């Protein structure tokens, strides 16, 4: 009875290799410029022409989600929390100028729906969001960490 | 000459002539050398050009618009949205300044340039100067 438990972790069988490759591919596809962090990257549930780019920062007191939303009416953004998933929905509407007059078109428009998984230590009740000049900042304070306690053992 | 308007300042020309404006811009803002090129739309109408640019983070204070001769320069220095010392956990875009330069083919009526900044989008209206605009000449009937 030697090494009988190791096979589970070895990607030796063809299915395991395939599974491993698939995971790696998905990981690379979903995390092109990942910089550490334990949470999975934001998902894009509405792959339209345009989606806001998201950066996430961490300070000792809070998590800060920053999204670039130029041309998005802040009032039209739907920001919701389910469990520890933050979802961001809205639309970047194109301008009101008539199309035939367009000479250069580089800007992109469309609806967006992105989801971000955040660490459980975040207190969603105290979340605050503000949109200033096309930049959305969502501040998520961390919960006060439970203080270490000693449990006395009562003598019998 | 400075043209004031309700939202942002458009600087047209300058008292001391600069031989090369882009060089002058880089002297004033050396960090703009690695600046991003913001996406733009240009609409041409009978009265002039309307330019729209996505500039998230640009404000009335940090956005500069220069028009000298027929060269239009836009630049903005963007502040970090995060407090100092914050650790970047996940990144999809890099914070950076914006810079874009255009050569305008038509002469612009500098007195009527209009710029507004809303939700991170700049809309700049550059009216054609009378010389470049097709003019309708009214014929007045003389009373007899």
């Amino acid at each position: 009875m030697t090494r009988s438990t190791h096979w589970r972790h070895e990607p030796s069988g063809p299915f395991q290799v395939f599974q491993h490759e698939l995971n790696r591919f998905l990981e690379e596809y979903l995390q092109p410029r990942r910089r550490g962090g334990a949470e999975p990257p934001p998902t894009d549930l509405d792959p339209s022409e345009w989606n806001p780019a998201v950066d996430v920062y961490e300070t000792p007191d809070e998590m800060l989600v920053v999204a670039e939303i130029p041309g998005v009416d802040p009032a039209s953004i739907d920001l919701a929390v389910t469990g520890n998933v933050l979802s961001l929905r809205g639309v970047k509407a194109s301008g009101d100028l008539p199309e035939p007059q367009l000479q250069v078109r580089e800007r992109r428009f469309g609806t967006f729906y992105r989801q971000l998984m955040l660490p459980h230590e975040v207190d969603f009740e105290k979340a605050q969001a503000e949109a200033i000049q096309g930049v959305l900042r969502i501040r998520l304070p961390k919960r006060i960490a439970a203080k270490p306690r000693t449990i006395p053992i009562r003598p019998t | 000459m400075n043209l004031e308007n309700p939202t942002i300042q458009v600087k047209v020309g300058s008292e001391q002539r600069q031989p090369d404006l882009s060089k002058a811009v880089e002297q004033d803002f050396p960090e703009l050398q690695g600046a991003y090129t913001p996406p733009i739309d240009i609409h041409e109408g009978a009265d002039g050009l309307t330019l729209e640019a996505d500039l998230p983070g640009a404000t009335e204070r940090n956005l500069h618009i220069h028009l000298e001769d027929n060269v239009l320069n836009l630049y903005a220095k963007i502040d970090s949205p995060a407090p100092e010392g914050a650790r970047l956990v996940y990144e999809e875009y890099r914070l950076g300044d914006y810079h874009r330069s255009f050569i305008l083919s038509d002469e612009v009526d500098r007195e009527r340039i209009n710029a507004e900044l809303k939700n991170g989008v700049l809309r700049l209206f550059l009216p054609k100067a009378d010389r470049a605009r097709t003019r309708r000449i009214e014929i007045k009937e003389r009373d007899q």
Side-chain angles (χ1 to χ4, degrees), chain A residues 33 35 42 54-58 66 68 70-71 92 96-97 101-107 114 133 135 137, chain B residues 39-44 52 54 56-58 81-82 86-93 100 119-121 123:
Chain A
R33 275 187 284 159
R35 273 199 186 179
V54 176
D55 278 359
V56 182
Y57 296 87
E58 185 181 3
V66 186
E68 288 197 318
K92 182 185 177 189
D96 48 10
L97 288 164
Q101 292 186 333
L102 217 57
Q103 281 207 319
V104 178
R105 180 161 195 178
E106 296 170 356
R107 297 165 69 225
R114 302 206 63 183
Q133 298 290 17
V135 179
R137 293 172 80 232
Chain B
I40 56 145
D41 283 353
I42 296 177
H43 310 257
E44 185 173 14
E52 286 175 305
D54 280 350
R87 189 172 69 93
L88 190 60
V89 182
Y90 173 76
E91 181 185 58
E92 285 180 350
Y93 71 93
R100 192 110 193 217
N119 294 336
V121 177
R123 184 185 270 213

Side-chain angles (χ1 to χ4, degrees), chain A residues 122-143:
Chain A
V122 161
D123 188 353
F124 287 101
E125 300 296 314
K126 289 181 184 154
Q128 284 182 323
E130 57 174 18
I132 298 168
Q133 298 290 17
V135 179
L136 174 68
R137 293 172 80 232
I138 308 157
R139 296 176 60 185
L140 302 144
K142 289 180 188 172
R143 278 182 223 278

Side-chain angles (χ1 to χ4, degrees), chain B residues 2-12 60 63 65 110-117 122-125:
Chain B
N2 282 334
L3 290 183
E4 296 273 356
N5 70 59
T7 48
I8 51 173
Q9 221 181 57
V10 183
K11 208 179 233 178
V12 177
E60 292 148 40
L63 176 63
I65 302 169
R110 287 148 190 253
E111 306 297 324
R112 293 193 296 127
I113 292 174
N114 187 290
E116 60 174 40
L117 197 56
L122 168 73
R123 184 185 270 213
L124 187 65
F125 177 60

Side-chain angles (χ1 to χ4, degrees), chain A residues 31-131:
Chain A
Q31 313 174 3
R33 275 187 284 159
R34 191 95 191 274
R35 273 199 186 179
E39 307 306 324
T43 51
D44 180 7
L45 300 178
D46 185 358
S48 66
E49 230 187 21
W50 181 83
N51 272 296
V54 176
D55 278 359
V56 182
Y57 296 87
E58 185 181 3
T59 70
D61 307 317
E62 62 183 17
M63 301 291 292
L64 175 67
V65 176
V66 186
E68 288 197 318
I69 48 159
V72 178
D73 178 8
S76 76
I77 301 170
D78 179 19
L79 210 58
V81 175
T82 317
N84 64 334
V85 175
L86 178 75
S87 60
L88 197 65
R89 255 174 133 148
V91 61
K92 182 185 177 189
S94 62
D96 48 10
L97 288 164
E99 286 281 322
Q101 292 186 333
L102 217 57
Q103 281 207 319
V104 178
R105 180 161 195 178
E106 296 170 356
R107 297 165 69 225
R108 295 277 170 266
F109 307 95
T111 53
F112 61 89
Y113 185 12
R114 302 206 63 183
Q115 287 192 333
L116 274 103
M117 200 179 273
L118 290 156
H120 282 287
E121 64 191 56
V122 161
D123 188 353
F124 287 101
E125 300 296 314
K126 289 181 184 154
Q128 284 182 323
E130 57 174 18

